[in-house]
Amino acid sequence: MAGMGEKILLVEDDPEMVRLVVHLLEAEGYVVQSAPDAQSAWKLCQTDVYDGLVVDYRLPDQNGLELLRRFADRQSLPPTIMLTGVKQEEVEIAAIQLGVETFLPKDSAGLFRRLLPIYLERALKRARIEKEKQQTETELRAHWQMFHAISETALDAIIVMDHQGRIAHWNPAAERIFGYRAEEAIGQDVHRLLAPPEHQAQAAQGVAHFLKTGQGPVLGKILELEALRKDGVRIPIELSVAEIPKSPCCRAAAIVRDISARKRAEAELQHRTEELAFRLKELHCLFSIYRLLEETEGPWEETLGKAIRLIPLAWQYPETACARIVLQNQVFATDNFQETPWKLAAPIWVADQLAGALEICYLRPLPEADLGPFLKEEKGLLELVANHLGHIIEHLQAQQQIRDLKRQIEFVLQATRTGLFITDLERNLLYVDPGIQQIYGDPRGRKCYEYFTNSHTHCAVCPVGNIVEGQVVQYEATLPKEGHRPVQIISTAFRDEKGRLLIANVGMDLTERKRMEAALLQSQKLEAIGRLAAGIAHEINTPAQYIRSNLHFLQEAFEALRKALAYSGQQRPVSTPTPSQPPSELQQLPTPNGEDLDYLCEEIPKAIEQSIKGVEEIAAIVRAIRSTQPAATQKEQVDLNEVIQSTLTLCRNEWKQVAELVTDLDPQLPLILGVPHDLHQVVFHLVINAAQAIQEAQQQKKDSTKGTIIVSTRQKGAWVEMQIADTGIGIPPENLPKIFEPFFTTRPVGQGKGQGLTIARSIVVDGHGGTIEVESQPGQGATFVVRLPVQPPAEAPAAVTSLALQSAFQPLHADMPAQKPSKKPETIVSKPLDPPAPLLPLAPPGEDYFSGSELLPNSVPQDAKTRLLLE
């Protein structure tokens, strides 16, 4: 059947003609749909696509030519046959111009029936061919675009050759590889452009043979050849050629890859392979020597004697090789060594010094190698072995020195009662010096805490786990198995040759140092007691002097009163004459007049009042001394203000000459839980430190102007804060981190022991769970800030044995009577007490009050007399 199911649209208004045409076309296998007029046909074409049209020229609403024009305006006209009852030349021409296949007249002779299927099939066939052509062209364009994209982006050169053996296509990769631009290469003969001169004739012959027969040795293969670049450089290439059959313009296509990098890699690989083989020989020899080193613990000379027998095994003919090491005045040789003409030698360097030579000899002539009887690799191996032997000898000598040094160190450790042990991060013992092993036994397989203390858990102060590489940690401990001998452990982390992090621990005996520290602390305690005693004696001396003067005055005044009463007859003398003063002498004394009696009645109460005041001052000092005596170490409720006031009273002699002291004590300060004696020491040391800093500033400035010490207290949250500020010399920034370290002092020898601030910090931090900080700038004084908790930490023990109780002087323990400071800051001025008012008036001219040794001439001024009485 002609039709293959194509859809045909029949536009005909005659029903009989419609039946006839539909019958004819369906019999040929077409699918036919009819429309009675042009408008109906137009609507059908809007919703469906038809492979062919059969249109009557005359239609009820318009002629078929106008309908076809409408179709042609919208899209290309499908294969169309126009039917007409009467042929008109103008209509036929117009229809053919629109693309109508034929103009078929309707007749009754039967010709129409035979021609319609033929014309329709011819039109549809031509349309199918045109469609296939268009599809083929589309595919060809797509293939070309794909080839162009591949060619443009390919890393390999794509070269197309035409039927004359000339270049028809030259992609960018070809430009990059060979250096020719496309316009330079296209049209050139392939072999003349790319083949080296010596291969051009052979290449031209091969191309000609391929063009003639379509066969050649390069087809279907991948060959490695040499090509010529534009700059004349020869490059290795990888070539694959394929024929392009049935192409009118192209005959073959070649893929060319630049394999220069691969060749270099292959050459490098070959070199590495040869070097690896050489290294295997070297490693075999050196491994045997190093294994010998690991198994040998004797002298290094013995090791070299064994190593020399291993060296000939690495050579090409080991059965006829012999070796010798000449090292200064020593020779190490194989048993069969003989010096022959077939000899190879290399120097041995030890610690950058020429120490000897390594020699290899063959005992008989052998086939010549690349450099004589020895291979090139053997020459390099000999130099390498000699070089390693130098390092090995240096290592062996160093090991011998290490063994000697180890014995010396172990002797020193034992002599100084110093121990050394090394652990890993799991606290496994890796090394323990012999001195420790004599006491504690074999350490193998044991943890350090099991070994030293028989404990199942590690020590609380153990730094393992927190220490980092290069860090040094110091702490003190006691050794229970040695009678609790005190030691200082210095731990440092380091890495061994395997990269493991290990901990080295050095234990230094502290027995002697503890004894010396105790002696030093005792000396310091005695010194502090002496200073305190001197200050207290000075403070007591002033009121005692004027009490003594007043008592002398009262004694003399009483004698004057007694004499006046005796002469007046109003009262019997209350005392009888003494042997030193017989009645005759009393009778010779001048009789006091009324003015003298009035003066005595006025001054005696004042003298008594001053004496009572002096006695009260002495009593206050005695109470302060009694309150600072050491008590139990139990913590109790303490008023920090009272501690400060009593301590300032006792150490007044330390600061009054250099500073004025200002107190600003919070009257609402809450009580704290603490040890009064320890807190007295904190205040004492900080105030003494401030006074010394001010004295240093005065010495530097050569200015005797008094400085200022300010002592203040405040409550800040759950803390009680005490600040002691001074206008002294200040602390340099580099010394701030060290001021609390034991025995650190910047003062000259004999003026400071470096323990005061250490004791204060120990009491505050360790004993009371507080903090102590310092703020200072050089030349601007310093401020120490002490913070103590209002409520003690939950873990704080009830009894505290602080460092201060063991090392500080004892008299400063506070148990002061309650004295609430005023709200306003109080200034305590360091000046001596004023002497009492004159106790005796000036006598009339020419008269004395007393005779004998206590006589005061009337020529002495009143204040001078008073001063004499006070003295």
Side-chain angles (χ1 to χ4, degrees):
M1 296 179 67
M4 293 184 295
E6 287 99 338
K7 293 180 66 175
I8 306 299
L9 177 61
L10 173 63
V11 185
E12 176 62 55
D13 59 338
D14 184 359
E16 292 298 330
M17 183 58 68
V18 170
R19 285 195 297 273
L20 175 62
V21 173
V22 169
H23 176 72
L24 287 174
L25 296 182
E26 287 181 349
E28 296 294 332
Y30 298 105
V31 178
V32 183
Q33 191 171 1
S34 62
D37 51 40
Q39 187 63 30
S40 300
W42 179 257
K43 290 182 180 180
L44 289 174
C45 288
Q46 300 299 315
T47 59
D48 207 348
V49 177
Y50 297 93
D51 297 311
L53 298 178
V54 178
V55 182
D56 188 13
Y57 175 69
R58 295 188 181 276
L59 296 173
D61 47 358
Q62 64 181 137
N63 61 52
L65 194 59
E66 293 176 351
L67 176 61
L68 294 180
R69 286 195 183 98
R70 292 179 66 186
F71 286 155
D73 291 339
R74 191 188 65 161
Q75 61 185 6
S76 61
L77 197 65
T80 303
I81 296 176
M82 182 164 281
L83 304 178
T84 180
V86 179
K87 294 186 67 173
Q88 299 180 12
E89 185 175 347
E90 296 81 3
V91 175
E92 186 174 357
I93 293 172
I96 291 173
Q97 289 176 347
L98 286 175
V100 174
E101 177 68 22
T102 184
F103 207 89
L104 187 63
K106 301 176 186 178
D107 61 356
S108 58
L111 183 61
F112 170 77
R113 295 179 181 178
R114 292 194 299 272
L115 292 177
L116 178 60
I118 294 173
Y119 282 135
L120 183 59
E121 173 61 22
R122 185 177 66 181
L124 291 174
K125 185 177 181 180
R126 188 180 295 114
R128 284 196 294 270
I129 293 173
E130 183 66 26
K131 184 176 180 181
E132 290 175 359
K133 178 183 176 182
Q134 293 177 357
Q135 185 176 356
T136 301
E137 291 177 351
T138 301
E139 292 177 356
L140 183 60
R141 285 194 298 271
H143 289 160
W144 170 250
Q145 292 173 356
M146 181 176 63
F147 171 75
H148 185 267
I150 294 174
S151 176
E152 291 294 316
T153 59
L155 298 178
D156 297 332
I158 299 177
I159 303 173
V160 179
M161 184 179 66
D162 63 10
H163 291 275
Q164 284 75 39
R166 295 188 296 268
I167 297 173
H169 179 77
W170 187 266
N171 73 332
E175 294 181 349
R176 184 176 62 256
I177 293 173
F178 295 104
Y180 294 100
R181 298 193 306 274
E183 55 268 23
E184 293 176 322
I186 293 176
Q188 299 290 329
D189 290 336
V190 175
H191 58 279
R192 291 181 180 176
L193 189 68
L194 303 180
E198 65 272 17
H199 298 304
Q200 285 189 3
Q202 183 182 359
Q205 184 179 358
V207 171
H209 179 73
F210 168 72
L211 293 176
K212 184 178 180 180
T213 64
Q215 298 178 357
V218 299
L219 292 177
K221 299 179 181 179
I222 299 176
L223 303 177
E224 291 186 5
L225 304 173
E226 193 175 54
L228 200 64
R229 287 171 48 90
K230 181 180 179 181
D231 55 7
V233 176
R234 295 170 182 253
I235 60 172
I237 63 170
E238 189 177 75
L239 174 67
S240 60
V241 180
E243 184 183 9
I244 303 176
K246 301 178 182 180
S247 174
C249 60
C250 302
R251 186 63 188 275
I255 305 297
V256 181
R257 175 172 297 171
D258 182 4
I259 57 173
S260 301
R262 193 178 77 187
K263 286 296 183 181
R264 288 193 297 269
E266 290 175 353
E268 180 68 18
L269 179 61
Q270 179 66 23
H271 174 71
R272 294 295 183 187
T273 303
E274 295 174 356
E275 186 178 359
L276 178 61
F278 169 68
R279 294 300 179 194
L280 287 175
K281 271 191 172 184
E282 167 199 338
L283 290 175
H284 179 74
C285 178
L286 295 179
F287 175 74
S288 301
I289 295 175
Y290 277 111
R291 186 171 60 182
L292 180 63
L293 292 178
E294 292 178 356
E295 298 172 355
T296 303
E297 295 183 358
W300 62 272
E301 295 88 352
E302 179 182 345
T303 302
L304 286 182
K306 297 178 181 179
I308 193 64
R309 294 191 288 270
L310 299 173
I311 295 176
L313 300 177
W315 260 252
Q316 186 179 8
Y317 304 103
E319 68 279 359
T320 188
C322 58
R324 178 174 67 177
I325 297 176
V326 179
L327 194 65
Q328 295 177 351
N329 297 326
Q330 296 176 297
V331 177
F332 308 91
T334 57
D335 296 336
N336 63 339
F337 182 81
Q338 294 180 20
E339 192 166 0
T340 66
W342 309 287
K343 177 180 176 181
L344 194 63
I348 297 177
W349 297 84
V350 178
D352 297 329
Q353 299 291 329
L354 181 61
L358 172 63
E359 300 173 348
I360 294 290
C361 295
Y362 279 131
L363 300 177
R364 64 177 184 271
L366 294 170
E368 293 291 329
D370 49 2
L371 294 175
F374 296 96
L375 297 173
K376 178 179 64 177
E377 290 80 9
E378 289 178 331
K379 291 181 178 292
L381 177 59
L382 181 68
E383 294 177 355
L384 187 61
V385 171
N387 183 40
H388 280 284
L389 279 176
H391 293 302
I392 290 171
I393 294 170
E394 183 179 357
H395 176 70
L396 290 173
Q397 292 175 346
Q399 280 189 332
Q400 183 65 40
Q401 293 176 358
I402 289 174
R403 286 193 291 269
D404 295 341
L405 182 60
K406 179 182 176 183
R407 286 192 293 268
Q408 295 172 7
I409 291 175
E410 290 175 351
F411 174 78
V412 172
L413 291 175
Q414 187 173 8
T416 58
R417 303 189 72 187
T418 302
L420 171 64
F421 63 95
I422 300 175
T423 69
D424 58 17
L425 293 182
E426 284 72 37
R427 300 180 176 85
N428 298 308
L429 285 169
L430 305 180
Y431 171 81
V432 175
D433 73 78
I436 296 179
Q437 292 189 40
Q438 291 178 1
I439 300 174
Y440 292 89
D442 189 358
R444 285 178 294 184
R446 303 185 66 183
K447 306 282 188 181
C448 57
Y449 50 85
E450 298 172 347
Y451 187 68
F452 287 104
T453 64
N454 290 330
S455 175
H456 297 293
T457 58
H458 65 81
C459 305
V461 295
C462 182
V464 177
N466 299 321
I467 192 171
V468 297
E469 183 178 0
Q471 183 182 3
V472 177
V473 177
Q474 300 183 22
Y475 59 95
E476 293 185 6
T478 58
L479 301 176
K481 290 187 178 181
E482 300 182 54
H484 294 279
R485 177 167 66 93
V487 292
Q488 182 184 44
I489 307 296
I490 303 175
S491 301
T492 182
F494 69 98
R495 293 193 181 274
D496 64 0
E497 64 278 0
K498 298 179 181 179
R500 295 182 303 169
L501 189 65
L502 305 179
I503 312 298
N505 306 272
V506 177
M508 301 190 330
D509 184 61
L510 295 181
T511 304
E512 183 63 19
R513 196 178 86 177
K514 290 292 184 181
R515 187 191 64 78
M516 294 178 65
E517 286 180 0
L520 177 63
L521 293 177
Q522 180 67 17
S523 173
Q524 184 183 21
K525 180 174 70 174
L526 294 175
E527 177 188 1
I529 292 174
R531 290 175 57 186
L532 182 64
I536 293 174
H538 183 84
E539 294 298 318
I540 293 178
N541 184 56
T542 299
Q545 285 181 354
Y546 64 75
I547 290 174
R548 177 175 174 275
S549 299
N550 287 340
L551 291 177
H552 279 295
F553 167 71
L554 291 175
Q555 183 183 23
E556 295 168 355
F558 180 78
E559 291 297 328
L561 289 174
R562 184 178 61 81
K563 183 183 69 174
L565 292 175
Y567 276 97
S568 64
Q570 298 177 0
Q571 183 177 350
R572 190 177 60 180
V574 297
S575 63
T576 58
T578 62
S580 61
Q581 187 181 25
S584 60
E585 294 182 2
L586 291 176
Q587 293 175 358
Q588 295 175 2
L589 293 174
T591 304
N593 56 27
E595 293 180 357
D596 292 338
L597 293 177
D598 293 339
Y599 171 77
L600 293 176
C601 292
E602 180 182 353
E603 294 300 325
I604 286 174
K606 292 182 181 180
I608 295 173
E609 182 181 354
Q610 289 177 352
S611 299
I612 294 173
K613 182 179 178 182
V615 171
E616 290 178 351
E617 290 182 5
I618 294 174
I621 294 174
V622 172
R623 284 195 304 270
I625 295 174
R626 293 181 59 190
S627 67
T628 58
Q629 293 303 307
T633 57
Q634 287 289 117
K635 287 187 177 180
E636 58 186 66
Q637 296 292 332
V638 178
D639 187 339
L640 186 59
N641 288 342
E642 293 180 0
V643 170
I644 293 171
Q645 288 175 331
S646 60
T647 305
L648 294 179
T649 299
L650 291 179
C651 66
R652 182 173 182 270
N653 191 56
E654 298 289 338
W655 52 262
K656 68 179 183 179
Q657 301 296 333
V658 296
E660 293 186 358
L661 195 143
V662 178
T663 58
D664 183 11
L665 307 181
D666 184 2
Q668 305 300 324
L669 197 69
L671 300 178
I672 62 173
L673 193 63
V675 181
H677 169 254
D678 289 359
L679 296 177
H680 273 290
Q681 294 183 67
V682 173
V683 179
F684 178 84
H685 287 300
L686 294 180
V687 172
I688 296 303
N689 186 75
Q692 292 174 344
I694 293 174
Q695 188 175 11
E696 288 186 35
Q698 291 174 342
Q699 293 173 353
Q700 280 192 1
K701 299 177 182 178
K702 297 181 179 180
D703 184 2
S704 59
T705 304
K706 287 186 177 183
T708 303
I709 300 175
I710 302 176
V711 182
S712 60
T713 56
R714 294 289 184 275
Q715 180 181 4
K716 290 191 175 181
W719 299 85
V720 167
E721 181 178 282
M722 173 181 67
Q723 292 191 9
I724 298 180
D726 63 71
T727 58
I729 192 173
I731 304 172
E734 63 271 15
N735 290 340
L736 281 175
K738 300 183 288 186
I739 60 173
F740 295 111
E741 294 180 2
F743 306 109
F744 174 78
T745 179
T746 59
R747 298 186 177 92
V749 177
Q751 296 186 19
K753 301 296 189 298
Q755 283 289 308
L757 295 180
T758 304
I759 294 172
R761 183 189 180 281
S762 177
I763 293 173
V764 173
V765 177
D766 302 330
H768 291 77
T771 64
I772 181 169
E773 300 172 355
V774 60
E775 300 173 359
S776 178
Q777 291 292 334
Q780 300 181 13
T783 300
F784 284 83
V785 181
V786 176
R787 296 184 181 89
L788 298 169
V790 175
Q791 296 297 331
E795 66 274 9
V800 178
T801 304
S802 66
L803 174 64
L805 292 177
Q806 304 172 14
S807 58
F809 65 92
Q810 298 299 321
L812 286 180
H813 186 82
D815 187 10
M816 300 296 296
Q819 296 179 11
K820 292 295 182 180
S822 61
K823 291 185 179 180
K824 294 183 179 180
E826 175 187 357
T827 301
I828 304 176
V829 183
S830 58
K831 60 182 180 179
L833 295 175
D834 294 332
L839 301 180
L840 296 175
L842 291 176
E847 296 184 2
D848 295 326
Y849 285 111
F850 303 104
S851 61
S853 60
E854 296 180 353
L855 180 63
L856 293 177
N858 54 14
S859 60
V860 179
Q862 182 179 2
D863 56 349
K865 293 180 180 180
T866 305
R867 206 159 43 243
L868 289 174
L869 285 175
L870 290 175
E871 294 175 353

